[in-house]
Amino acid sequence: MVGQLGHPGPVTPLRLGVADAGEVLTLQRAAYVTEARTHGDLDLPPLLETLDETRVALAGLSWGLREAGRLVASVRLTVTGPVGVIGRLVVAPDRQGAGLGGGLLRFAESAAPPEVTVFRLFTGSKSVGPLHLYAKHGYRETHRTPENNHELVHLEKARVHVPGRVR
């Protein structure tokens, strides 16, 4: 990822692992507090996730961005056959709006195994920023499901294979 708004130079996503679980969980909680307030729901799964659950999740495909050693963004990708599910795309509250989330989203898509032909994700119906970000990156709403006092918006995007790109 190069040329992100607010960044003087290239930023390279790093593979996250079990050892990063505490830091990922802290970042996740900080990022989702705003979403919880927006949706009037403090029981969002990312806020209830335990350290052990985060460790298990980080054993899969996960990446993060660090600035001066600090984890400022992370994302997870779960692959089931041709479907790549993007999850827990989070950016530290003080770094939101700087292009980190979009850059990390593009990176996760490009790092997905070649068999992935479609990406899916979801966000809360009142998550204006994330909904705008996902639409900007080609995701389209497929359906909604009820979730406490709001809805989850499910989105999907067909993978675009770049000719000549080596995976």
Side-chain angles (χ1 to χ4, degrees):
M1 281 175 8
V2 180
Q4 295 167 338
L5 186 61
H7 253 277
V11 175
T12 305
L14 304 169
R15 186 77 181 264
L16 298 175
V18 175
D20 300 300
E23 199 173 5
V24 168
L25 189 58
T26 300
L27 170 65
Q28 182 174 293
R29 288 181 175 166
Y32 272 97
V33 165
T34 304
E35 291 297 304
R37 287 184 185 144
T38 299
H39 289 84
D41 184 358
L42 294 177
D43 289 332
L44 297 180
L47 294 176
L48 301 176
E49 187 173 276
T50 67
L51 182 58
D52 285 339
E53 290 169 333
T54 303
R55 285 184 182 120
V56 169
L58 292 179
L61 296 173
S62 301
W63 299 273
L65 296 174
R66 291 187 180 278
E67 292 178 340
R70 174 183 169 224
L71 186 66
V72 294
S74 67
V75 67
R76 299 176 192 173
L77 176 67
T78 304
V79 176
T80 305
V83 178
V85 178
I86 305 277
R88 302 289 202 268
L89 175 60
V90 295
V91 176
D94 65 318
R95 295 299 289 129
Q96 291 176 2
L100 300 175
L104 202 49
L105 177 63
R106 285 189 306 275
F107 179 84
E109 291 171 353
S110 72
E115 65 268 16
V116 173
T117 59
V118 65
F119 293 102
R120 293 184 181 142
L121 52 80
F122 63 86
T123 192
S125 58
K126 299 175 185 175
S127 299
V128 176
L131 286 167
H132 175 75
L133 172 73
Y134 299 140
K136 179 177 154 185
H137 287 273
Y139 285 83
R140 299 291 173 248
E141 182 176 336
T142 58
H143 64 285
R144 293 180 179 222
T145 55
E147 181 71 22
N148 295 334
N149 63 344
H150 62 280
E151 292 178 309
L152 293 178
V153 180
H154 297 261
L155 302 119
E156 186 173 283
K157 172 184 175 178
R159 184 176 205 167
V160 177
H161 288 280
V162 178
R165 181 179 221 165
V166 177
R167 294 223 174 262

